Amino acid sequence: MARRSLNEFAFPLPTAQLKRRILRDGARANELRDASFRRVVLTIPVGKVSTYGRVAAAAGYPLYHRAVARLLRTDPPDLLPWHRVLGAGGEIKLRGAAATEQRRRLKMEGVQFQSKRVDMEIHEHEFRMWEE
């Protein structure tokens, strides 16, 4: 029996029209969706990190990584452990003083960096279905 590639099981890529709709929708607050993101972010333990995309997927909104970024940017800073959410590949996506603060907070929690990226092999939090 021939092996099947993973691409056969993947969802089709969204069309340009669907991408625009997701971008517009993600730019607006949605209390139900935002509550899901908050629950997921609160499950990331001290010394672990995740990415905007993985948080969105764990909350049930796999294409809404920008909505996660919007939520973390607009919520009060002490409400969520915002510093534990990074860009793809473990990059700090913030700029200036905010990036310095995020790196400082992560180092205080024992997170190790490889140059400008967090060592995701060691520090990435694996979400479990029952944590969502």
Side-chain angles (χ1 to χ4, degrees):
M1 184 170 162
R3 291 185 70 182
R4 299 174 92 180
S5 75
L6 288 177
N7 291 336
E8 293 179 53
F9 299 102
F11 294 104
L13 292 175
T15 63
Q17 184 179 11
L18 179 59
K19 285 182 184 179
R20 282 192 301 276
R21 194 181 113 238
I22 289 169
L23 287 173
R24 273 195 314 270
D25 188 39
R28 291 186 287 258
N30 175 307
E31 200 51 47
L32 181 62
R33 183 182 63 223
D34 291 350
S36 297
F37 293 155
R38 286 184 192 101
R39 270 194 307 276
V40 171
V41 170
L42 287 169
T43 66
I44 304 171
V46 173
K48 294 290 186 178
V49 297
S50 190
T51 65
Y52 297 107
R54 291 200 185 249
V55 168
Y61 298 90
L63 301 176
Y64 283 80
H65 58 280
R66 290 184 181 182
V68 174
R70 180 205 44 82
L71 173 73
L72 295 176
R73 186 177 60 249
T74 58
D75 265 10
D78 295 330
L79 183 64
L80 295 170
W82 59 270
H83 58 283
R84 296 183 192 147
V85 184
L86 305 166
E91 269 189 275
I92 291 178
K93 292 295 190 180
L94 303 175
R95 301 285 178 245
T100 303
E101 176 68 12
Q102 185 174 20
R103 187 177 182 98
R104 185 186 65 75
R105 286 182 181 218
L106 290 171
K107 282 187 169 185
M108 284 176 45
E109 293 184 355
V111 174
Q112 299 170 0
F113 285 80
Q114 293 177 341
S115 184
K116 292 185 175 186
R117 295 175 184 258
V118 168
D119 188 345
M120 296 299 275
E121 288 184 23
I122 297 171
H123 297 288
E124 185 170 17
H125 176 62
E126 294 293 326
F127 293 107
R128 298 185 197 125
M129 294 305 291
W130 57 86
E131 287 181 339
E132 296 175 11

